[in-house]
Amino acid sequence: AQKITQTQPGMFVQEKEAVTLDCTYDTSDPSYGLFWYKQPSSGEMIFLIYQGSYDQQNATEGRYSLNFQKARKSANLVISASQLGDSAMYFCAMRMTDSSYKLIFGSGTRLLVRP
Amino acid sequence: SAVISQKPSRDICQRGTSLTIQCQVDSQVTMMFWYRQQPGQSLTLIATANQGSEATYESGFVIDKFPISRPNLTFSTLTVSNMSPEDSSIYLCSVLDSLGADTQYFGPGTRLTVL
């Protein structure tokens, strides 16, 4: 069965520094997609970045990058130059490899950026 | 990406009553989903809303409790029936963006409190 694990319930980072949020996954399928979402206190889910299992390079989107280590089945999110507005919950998710396109989510990591 | 709106944004309801949540998208989308996020928890998929046919429910969710309609490619409703305090959650709809990475984009969510 497919599974997403986020082992860090909470993280602190100093403003302007970089932070890595961990995500490991488990699947036996060769084709899959991995996503990171940000959820501020308002409750909305904001898509940040995507990594496909066949992508040769790590995904990057502005200050967000994904450290994809396929052999280790990890897809860690790196946020560079943290800002106060980055304080939020962060969820890692994996798309089911059947035709349903369903997402399964990890338990999330709460990031707090200190001024 | 598609612009998604949800109504209401929040509500406080009495136990035993029902609430219908609306999800509107500014463009036609093939797939829409409904998720529940209980307090302090991650997201769990309730069902996939299918246009012109019955929704596909996940294990643990039933149509009598969470009836879903999807009359066209831009609109869906989720009803939470015969509510109890355990139904207090954020309910989010999402749509599948088939361009690119098949990314799901989420609406702003409906924060429901049942007394």
Side-chain angles (χ1 to χ4, degrees):
Chain A
Q2 294 173 297
K3 186 179 179 182
I4 291 280
T5 302
Q6 294 180 254
T7 58
Q8 305 156 313
M11 291 278 289
F12 290 95
V13 64
Q14 205 66 32
E15 191 179 10
K16 299 181 183 178
E17 294 189 349
V19 63
T20 298
L21 307 184
D22 294 342
C23 173
T24 59
Y25 60 92
D26 188 19
T27 180
S28 57
D29 292 316
S31 176
Y32 49 88
L34 296 160
F35 301 80
W36 277 92
Y37 289 87
K38 172 185 178 181
Q39 187 178 43
S41 57
S42 59
E44 62 186 314
M45 292 286 286
I46 302 168
F47 165 71
L48 295 178
I49 196 167
Y50 164 81
Q51 181 82 44
S53 59
Y54 292 121
D55 293 344
Q56 295 296 314
Q57 295 188 339
N58 288 341
T60 60
E61 287 288 347
R63 294 187 298 113
Y64 304 108
S65 61
L66 204 152
N67 184 1
F68 182 48
Q69 298 189 40
K70 196 170 182 178
R72 295 185 178 183
K73 292 188 175 180
S74 73
N76 299 337
L77 176 70
V78 180
I79 305 175
S80 63
S82 297
Q83 302 172 356
L84 296 179
D86 294 334
S87 294
M89 283 291 290
Y90 289 82
F91 291 95
C92 182
M94 179 164 60
R95 182 175 62 227
M96 302 287 279
T97 53
D98 58 18
S99 59
S100 69
Y101 294 97
K102 294 184 290 188
L103 291 177
I104 54 171
F105 285 84
S107 55
T109 296
R110 181 172 298 279
L111 177 67
L112 183 60
V113 181
R114 289 171 166 158
Chain B
S1 61
V3 176
I4 307 163
S5 60
Q6 281 186 238
K7 290 181 181 179
S9 58
R10 60 176 61 230
D11 207 342
I12 301 173
C13 301
Q14 297 296 321
R15 68 171 65 211
T17 62
S18 298
L19 177 71
T20 296
I21 302 168
Q22 299 179 4
C23 180
Q24 179 76 54
V25 192
D26 69 342
S27 59
Q28 293 185 341
V29 293
T30 54
M31 301 190 77
M32 296 179 74
F33 306 88
W34 286 98
Y35 289 83
R36 180 178 73 180
Q37 185 179 28
Q38 294 177 299
Q41 303 295 315
S42 187
L43 277 73
T44 302
L45 181 65
I46 298 172
T48 302
N50 302 310
Q51 194 266 330
S53 65
E54 199 169 280
T56 304
Y57 289 85
E58 297 301 302
S59 175
F61 297 97
V62 295
I63 187 171
D64 290 345
K65 176 66 176 177
F66 297 102
I68 288 171
S69 78
R70 186 162 179 208
N72 56 53
L73 293 176
T74 63
F75 185 78
S76 178
T77 67
L78 168 74
T79 299
V80 187
S81 303
N82 188 24
M83 289 183 286
S84 67
E86 292 70 35
D87 294 319
S88 297
S89 298
I90 299 175
Y91 292 86
L92 299 112
C93 71
S94 73
V95 303
L96 184 69
D97 181 354
S98 298
L99 298 177
D102 290 331
T103 299
Q104 282 190 34
Y105 292 93
F106 286 81
T110 295
R111 193 179 295 267
L112 171 63
T113 301
V114 183
L115 302 177

Coordinates of all heavy atoms in Angstrom, one line a residue, chain A residues 6 35 37 39-47 50 89 91 95 99-108, chain B residues 10 31 33 35 37 40-45 48 58 90 92 96 101-109 111:
Chain A
Q6 N 5.7 11.9 7.4 CA 6.5 13.1 7.7 C 6.7 12.9 9.2 O 5.8 12.9 10.1 CB 5.6 14.3 7.5 CG 5.3 14.5 6.0 CD 4.5 15.7 5.7 OE1 3.3 15.6 5.4 NE2 5.1 16.9 5.9
F35 N 4.0 15.7 -4.2 CA 3.6 17.1 -4.1 C 3.8 17.6 -2.7 O 3.8 16.9 -1.7 CB 2.1 17.2 -4.4 CG 1.6 16.7 -5.7 CD1 1.4 15.4 -6.0 CD2 1.4 17.6 -6.8 CE1 1.0 14.9 -7.2 CE2 0.9 17.2 -8.0 CZ 0.7 15.8 -8.2
Y37 N 2.3 20.8 -0.3 CA 1.3 21.9 -0.1 C 1.6 22.6 1.2 O 2.1 22.0 2.2 CB -0.1 21.3 0.0 CG -0.6 20.7 -1.3 CD1 -0.4 19.4 -1.7 CD2 -1.4 21.5 -2.2 CE1 -0.9 18.9 -2.9 CE2 -1.9 21.0 -3.4 CZ -1.6 19.7 -3.7 OH -2.1 19.2 -4.9
Q39 N -0.3 25.0 4.1 CA -1.6 25.4 4.7 C -1.4 26.4 5.8 O -1.0 26.1 6.9 CB -2.3 24.1 5.2 CG -3.7 24.5 5.7 CD -4.5 23.3 6.2 OE1 -4.0 22.4 6.9 NE2 -5.7 23.1 5.8
P40 N -1.6 27.7 5.5 CA -1.6 28.7 6.5 C -2.7 28.5 7.5 O -3.6 27.7 7.3 CB -1.8 30.0 5.7 CG -1.7 29.6 4.3 CD -2.0 28.2 4.2
S41 N -2.8 29.4 8.5 CA -3.8 29.2 9.5 C -5.2 29.5 8.9 O -6.2 29.1 9.6 CB -3.5 30.2 10.7 OG -3.4 31.5 10.2
S42 N -5.3 30.1 7.8 CA -6.6 30.4 7.2 C -7.2 29.1 6.7 O -8.4 29.0 6.5 CB -6.4 31.3 6.0 OG -5.5 30.8 5.0
G43 N -6.5 28.0 6.5 CA -7.0 26.7 6.1 C -6.9 26.3 4.7 O -7.1 25.2 4.3
E44 N -6.6 27.3 3.8 CA -6.5 26.9 2.4 C -5.3 26.1 2.2 O -4.3 26.1 2.9 CB -6.4 28.2 1.5 CG -5.2 29.1 1.9 CD -5.2 30.4 1.1 OE1 -5.5 30.4 -0.1 OE2 -5.0 31.4 1.8
M45 N -5.3 25.3 1.1 CA -4.2 24.4 0.7 C -3.5 25.0 -0.5 O -4.2 25.1 -1.5 CB -4.6 23.0 0.5 CG -5.1 22.3 1.7 SD -3.7 21.8 2.8 CE -3.0 20.4 1.9
I46 N -2.3 25.4 -0.4 CA -1.6 26.1 -1.5 C -0.5 25.1 -2.1 O 0.4 24.6 -1.4 CB -0.9 27.3 -1.0 CG1 -1.9 28.3 -0.4 CG2 -0.1 28.0 -2.1 CD1 -1.3 29.4 0.4
F47 N -0.7 24.8 -3.4 CA 0.3 24.0 -4.1 C 1.6 24.7 -4.2 O 1.7 25.8 -4.6 CB -0.2 23.6 -5.4 CG 0.8 23.0 -6.4 CD1 1.3 21.8 -6.1 CD2 1.3 23.7 -7.4 CE1 2.3 21.2 -7.0 CE2 2.3 23.2 -8.3 CZ 2.8 22.0 -8.0
Y50 N 6.0 20.1 -7.4 CA 5.7 18.8 -7.8 C 7.0 18.1 -8.3 O 7.9 18.7 -9.0 CB 4.7 18.8 -9.0 CG 4.6 17.5 -9.8 CD1 3.9 16.4 -9.3 CD2 5.3 17.3 -11.0 CE1 3.8 15.3 -10.0 CE2 5.2 16.2 -11.7 CZ 4.5 15.1 -11.2 OH 4.4 13.9 -11.9
M89 N 1.5 25.1 8.2 CA 1.6 23.6 8.1 C 2.0 23.3 6.6 O 1.6 23.9 5.7 CB 0.3 23.0 8.4 CG -0.1 22.9 9.8 SD 1.0 21.8 10.8 CE 0.4 20.2 10.1
F91 N 2.4 20.0 4.0 CA 2.0 18.6 3.8 C 2.7 18.0 2.5 O 2.7 18.7 1.5 CB 0.5 18.5 3.6 CG -0.3 18.7 4.9 CD1 -0.8 20.0 5.1 CD2 -0.5 17.7 5.8 CE1 -1.6 20.2 6.3 CE2 -1.3 17.9 6.9 CZ -1.8 19.2 7.2
R95 N 0.5 11.1 -5.3 CA -0.7 10.7 -6.2 C -0.7 9.2 -6.4 O 0.3 8.6 -6.7 CB -0.6 11.4 -7.5 CG -1.8 11.2 -8.4 CD -1.6 12.0 -9.7 NE -0.5 11.7 -10.5 CZ 0.4 12.6 -11.0 NH1 0.2 13.9 -10.8 NH2 1.4 12.2 -11.7
S99 N -5.9 5.2 -12.0 CA -6.4 6.3 -12.8 C -7.3 7.3 -12.0 O -8.0 8.1 -12.5 CB -7.3 5.7 -13.9 OG -8.3 4.9 -13.4
S100 N -7.3 7.0 -10.7 CA -8.2 7.8 -9.8 C -7.6 9.2 -9.5 O -8.4 10.1 -9.2 CB -8.4 7.1 -8.5 OG -7.2 7.1 -7.7
Y101 N -6.3 9.4 -9.7 CA -5.7 10.7 -9.4 C -5.8 11.1 -7.9 O -5.6 12.3 -7.6 CB -6.2 11.8 -10.3 CG -5.8 11.6 -11.7 CD1 -6.7 11.0 -12.6 CD2 -4.6 11.9 -12.2 CE1 -6.4 10.8 -13.9 CE2 -4.3 11.7 -13.6 CZ -5.2 11.1 -14.4 OH -4.9 10.9 -15.7
K102 N -6.2 10.2 -7.1 CA -6.3 10.5 -5.7 C -5.0 10.9 -5.0 O -3.9 10.3 -5.4 CB -7.0 9.4 -4.9 CG -8.4 9.1 -5.3 CD -9.0 8.0 -4.5 CE -8.4 6.7 -4.7 NZ -9.1 5.6 -4.1
L103 N -5.0 11.7 -4.0 CA -3.8 12.1 -3.3 C -3.9 11.5 -1.9 O -5.0 11.5 -1.3 CB -3.7 13.6 -3.1 CG -3.3 14.4 -4.4 CD1 -3.3 15.9 -4.0 CD2 -2.0 14.0 -5.0
I104 N -2.8 10.9 -1.4 CA -2.7 10.6 0.0 C -1.7 11.5 0.6 O -0.6 11.8 0.0 CB -2.3 9.1 0.2 CG1 -1.0 8.7 -0.6 CG2 -3.4 8.2 -0.2 CD1 -0.5 7.4 -0.2
F105 N -2.0 12.0 1.8 CA -1.2 13.0 2.5 C -0.5 12.4 3.7 O -0.9 11.5 4.4 CB -2.1 14.1 3.0 CG -2.6 15.0 1.9 CD1 -3.8 14.6 1.1 CD2 -2.0 16.2 1.6 CE1 -4.2 15.5 0.1 CE2 -2.5 17.0 0.6 CZ -3.6 16.7 -0.2
G106 N 0.7 13.1 4.0 CA 1.4 12.8 5.2 C 0.7 13.6 6.3 O -0.3 14.3 6.1
S107 N 1.2 13.4 7.5 CA 0.6 14.0 8.7 C 0.9 15.5 8.9 O 0.3 16.2 9.7 CB 1.1 13.3 10.0 OG 2.5 13.2 10.0
G108 N 1.9 16.0 8.1 CA 2.2 17.4 8.1 C 3.3 17.8 9.1 O 3.6 17.1 10.1
Chain B
R10 N -17.3 29.5 6.4 CA -17.4 28.9 7.8 C -18.8 28.9 8.2 O -19.6 29.6 7.7 CB -16.5 29.6 8.8 CG -16.8 31.0 9.0 CD -15.9 31.6 10.1 NE -14.5 31.6 9.8 CZ -13.6 31.1 10.6 NH1 -13.9 30.6 11.7 NH2 -12.3 31.1 10.2
M31 N -12.2 16.4 -13.2 CA -12.3 15.7 -11.9 C -12.3 16.7 -10.7 O -11.5 17.7 -10.7 CB -11.1 14.8 -11.7 CG -11.0 13.7 -12.8 SD -9.8 12.4 -12.4 CE -10.7 11.4 -11.3
F33 N -12.8 16.7 -6.3 CA -12.7 15.9 -5.1 C -13.2 16.6 -3.9 O -13.0 17.9 -3.8 CB -11.2 15.5 -4.9 CG -10.5 14.8 -6.1 CD1 -9.9 15.6 -7.1 CD2 -10.5 13.4 -6.2 CE1 -9.3 15.0 -8.2 CE2 -9.9 12.8 -7.3 CZ -9.3 13.6 -8.3
Y35 N -12.4 16.6 0.3 CA -11.6 16.2 1.4 C -12.1 16.7 2.7 O -12.8 17.7 2.8 CB -10.2 16.7 1.2 CG -9.4 16.1 0.1 CD1 -9.5 16.5 -1.2 CD2 -8.5 15.0 0.4 CE1 -8.8 16.0 -2.2 CE2 -7.8 14.4 -0.7 CZ -7.9 14.9 -1.9 OH -7.2 14.4 -3.0
Q37 N -10.7 17.5 6.7 CA -9.6 17.7 7.6 C -10.1 17.9 9.0 O -10.5 19.0 9.4 CB -8.7 18.8 7.1 CG -7.4 18.9 8.0 CD -6.5 20.1 7.5 OE1 -7.0 21.1 7.0 NE2 -5.2 20.0 7.7
G40 N -6.4 19.3 13.8 CA -5.1 18.8 14.0 C -4.7 17.6 13.2 O -3.6 17.0 13.4
Q41 N -5.5 17.3 12.2 CA -5.2 16.1 11.4 C -4.8 16.5 10.0 O -4.9 17.6 9.6 CB -6.4 15.2 11.4 CG -6.9 14.7 12.7 CD -5.9 13.9 13.4 OE1 -5.3 12.9 12.9 NE2 -5.6 14.2 14.7
S42 N -4.5 15.4 9.2 CA -4.2 15.6 7.8 C -5.5 15.5 7.0 O -6.6 15.4 7.5 CB -3.2 14.6 7.3 OG -2.8 14.8 6.0
L43 N -5.3 15.6 5.7 CA -6.5 15.6 4.8 C -6.8 14.1 4.5 O -6.0 13.3 4.2 CB -6.2 16.3 3.5 CG -6.4 17.8 3.5 CD1 -5.3 18.5 4.3 CD2 -6.5 18.4 2.1
T44 N -8.1 13.8 4.4 CA -8.6 12.5 4.1 C -9.7 12.7 2.9 O -10.6 13.5 3.1 CB -9.3 11.8 5.2 OG1 -8.4 11.7 6.3 CG2 -9.8 10.4 4.8
L45 N -9.5 11.9 1.9 CA -10.4 12.0 0.8 C -11.8 11.4 1.1 O -11.8 10.3 1.6 CB -9.8 11.3 -0.4 CG -10.7 11.3 -1.7 CD1 -10.8 12.7 -2.3 CD2 -10.1 10.4 -2.8
T48 N -14.7 11.2 -4.8 CA -14.5 11.9 -6.1 C -15.9 12.2 -6.7 O -16.7 11.3 -6.8 CB -13.8 10.9 -7.1 OG1 -12.5 10.6 -6.5 CG2 -13.5 11.6 -8.4
E58 N -14.8 6.9 -0.7 CA -13.7 6.2 -0.1 C -14.2 5.4 1.1 O -15.3 5.6 1.6 CB -12.6 7.2 0.4 CG -12.0 8.0 -0.7 CD -11.4 7.1 -1.8 OE1 -10.5 6.3 -1.4 OE2 -11.8 7.2 -3.0
I90 N -12.5 21.0 8.6 CA -12.5 21.8 7.4 C -12.8 20.9 6.3 O -12.2 19.8 6.1 CB -11.1 22.4 7.3 CG1 -10.7 23.4 8.4 CG2 -11.0 23.2 5.9 CD1 -9.3 23.9 8.4
L92 N -12.7 20.6 2.2 CA -12.1 21.2 1.0 C -12.4 20.5 -0.2 O -12.4 19.3 -0.3 CB -10.5 21.2 1.2 CG -10.0 22.0 2.4 CD1 -9.3 21.0 3.4 CD2 -8.9 23.0 2.0
L96 N -8.7 18.8 -10.5 CA -7.5 18.3 -11.1 C -7.2 19.1 -12.3 O -8.0 19.3 -13.2 CB -7.7 16.8 -11.6 CG -6.5 16.1 -12.2 CD1 -5.5 15.9 -11.1 CD2 -7.0 14.8 -12.8
A101 N 1.3 18.5 -14.7 CA 1.6 17.4 -13.8 C 0.3 16.8 -13.1 O 0.5 16.1 -12.1 CB 2.5 17.9 -12.7
D102 N -0.8 17.1 -13.7 CA -2.1 16.6 -13.0 C -2.1 17.0 -11.6 O -2.3 16.1 -10.7 CB -2.1 15.0 -13.1 CG -2.4 14.6 -14.6 OD1 -3.0 15.3 -15.3 OD2 -1.9 13.5 -14.9
T103 N -1.9 18.2 -11.3 CA -1.9 18.8 -10.0 C -3.3 19.0 -9.5 O -4.1 19.5 -10.2 CB -1.1 20.1 -10.0 OG1 0.3 19.8 -10.4 CG2 -1.0 20.7 -8.6
Q104 N -3.5 18.8 -8.2 CA -4.8 19.1 -7.6 C -4.6 20.5 -7.0 O -3.7 20.7 -6.2 CB -5.2 18.1 -6.6 CG -5.8 16.8 -7.1 CD -6.4 16.0 -6.1 OE1 -7.0 16.4 -5.1 NE2 -6.3 14.7 -6.3
Y105 N -5.6 21.4 -7.3 CA -5.7 22.7 -6.7 C -6.9 22.7 -5.8 O -8.0 22.2 -6.1 CB -5.7 23.8 -7.7 CG -4.4 23.9 -8.5 CD1 -4.3 23.2 -9.7 CD2 -3.4 24.7 -8.0 CE1 -3.1 23.3 -10.4 CE2 -2.2 24.8 -8.8 CZ -2.0 24.1 -9.9 OH -0.9 24.2 -10.6
F106 N -6.7 23.4 -4.6 CA -7.8 23.3 -3.6 C -8.5 24.7 -3.5 O -7.9 25.8 -3.7 CB -7.2 23.0 -2.3 CG -6.8 21.6 -2.1 CD1 -5.6 21.1 -2.7 CD2 -7.6 20.7 -1.5 CE1 -5.2 19.8 -2.5 CE2 -7.2 19.3 -1.3 CZ -6.0 18.9 -1.9
G107 N -9.8 24.5 -3.1 CA -10.5 25.7 -2.8 C -10.1 26.2 -1.4 O -9.3 25.6 -0.7
P108 N -10.7 27.3 -0.9 CA -10.3 27.9 0.3 C -10.8 27.2 1.6 O -10.3 27.5 2.7 CB -10.9 29.3 0.3 CG -12.0 29.2 -0.6 CD -11.6 28.2 -1.7
G109 N -11.7 26.2 1.4 CA -12.1 25.4 2.5 C -13.3 26.0 3.2 O -13.6 27.2 3.1
R111 N -14.9 25.9 7.0 CA -14.6 25.5 8.4 C -16.0 25.3 9.1 O -16.7 26.3 9.3 CB -13.8 26.6 9.1 CG -13.2 26.2 10.4 CD -12.3 27.3 10.9 NE -11.2 27.6 10.1 CZ -10.0 27.2 10.3 NH1 -9.7 26.3 11.2 NH2 -9.0 27.6 9.5

